Amino acid sequence: LLSAAQVLNHGRVLEDRLRSHHTIILANLGRDISAEEEHYNAAIQHGLAVLAELGETFPVDIDQGVVNKEREKVISIVSQRSVDAILQKRIMDDPIKKAALRFLVIVVRMSYSKNQNLMLVSVMRMVEITMTSGLTPDASFAFASLSFVLYGSGSHPLSDFCSRVALALLQKFDLEHSQCVAFSLFFFVLPYKQPLQSCVDSLRRGYNDGMSVGDVEWALLCLRGAASISLFATERGKTLQEVEKELQRNMETLNAFRRSTFVSEISYAVAALRNLMADTLDDSPDDPTILPEPSQPLHFVVLRMKVCCQMWLTYLFRKYDEAAEIAQGYPDVEASNPFAPAASVINEQFYLGLLACAMQRREGSTKDDISKWRNLAAGVITKFSSWLNDGSAWNFEHKLDLLVAEQAYSDGNLVLAAATYEKAVAC
């Protein structure tokens, strides 16, 4: 860092100064996202200052109107092209635009958890630069990020198109930046399109690719993504004990690089697994639905994992009153990151739906209670129907069948319940 600062102060060549800026920003990015917030925010402002020097400026306050305007502009550019047409665009030869893309990649990563409107506009800017100035290896990340953003906002067909463009550009540039693309697509978008187990494999490869080229930040994001998905997508032949051991290894790696937020997130997955294996452990918990209580407010990625595991355990062990209390607070959890379609949402919604079906059958429920839970279950079933129609039958068909069976049983339709229970098991 000292060397980078010296070059920054005395360097006369733009490329040398940009390299120093890059090093200093990455040093701050290497800090954990929940700790030393002033350093993280300073890194974002540093990145924006460099981008302004490169001719890419952003409004001080980015409201939803700015986001919508940029989104409409980029959609109009992208939706008029085919994958082949984009691949045939010329290779970018403008060093200033190349540098801008390089710093935009960093700003997108940094602003995801701190300033989501800035992240959205930065993604749009990356794609706009690519479409107007030519292709670089960073273009694959630009389209992968746009795919993620569009999927979260409900533009699924265009999101699918952008994911295909991203993967094609990745091949065109010999898999350069594969770790960035792997996390953006295989944790956020493709879990809705491909079997979850294949997404875990791709994220593991992203981790290995990133570590092999020294891109620790994106490698660790891939590792965190693989760990998060593997909890609910156990691969054929793996026992819960083997899954727990892998998660423990992942936590050790993340801890070695001081990623305490991700360690906390995965620790809830490990705790949930240990509770499920309680009968085989010497230190089995008295109540298998209890998870560790945090000593401080949780970052939203940790909170989502904790809430998902709590709904899972309280539903499985039939602690319905506790589960209902968790479910009633779920809208606030959902609102903590409203546009992100991460794979965790699938499991959150699944157990929310199962709980809503079970609560309709609770003794002493009023008509209003039953109506409230029935509406919630219907909304979850609608989501899974949409995800099934749009995406992966492997991921969604058996879950949808079980939800339909549970609701049919709550409605007293035993014929439909029996048929769809059988179908869910056979999937």
Side-chain angles (χ1 to χ4, degrees), residues 91-116:
I91 302 298
M92 187 184 296
D93 56 8
D94 184 337
I96 300 298
K97 294 297 184 185
K98 284 182 180 179
L101 284 176
R102 202 166 106 205
F103 281 91
L104 279 165
V105 170
I106 301 175
V107 169
V108 168
R109 165 69 190 100
M110 290 190 297
S111 57
Y112 169 67
S113 60
K114 300 295 182 184
N115 185 339
Q116 292 177 348

Side-chain angles (χ1 to χ4, degrees), residues 176-198:
E176 192 170 342
H177 302 325
S178 61
Q179 62 277 4
C180 310
V181 175
F183 180 69
S184 301
L185 290 183
F186 290 100
F187 185 62
F188 289 106
V189 179
L190 294 181
Y192 293 82
K193 304 294 179 182
Q194 298 180 7
L196 287 170
Q197 290 82 354
S198 71

Side-chain angles (χ1 to χ4, degrees), residues 2 107 114 190 218 222 232 260 323 327 389 393 422 424:
L2 180 61
V107 169
K114 300 295 182 184
L190 294 181
W218 285 100
C222 288
F232 295 101
S260 61
N389 291 334
E422 288 289 341

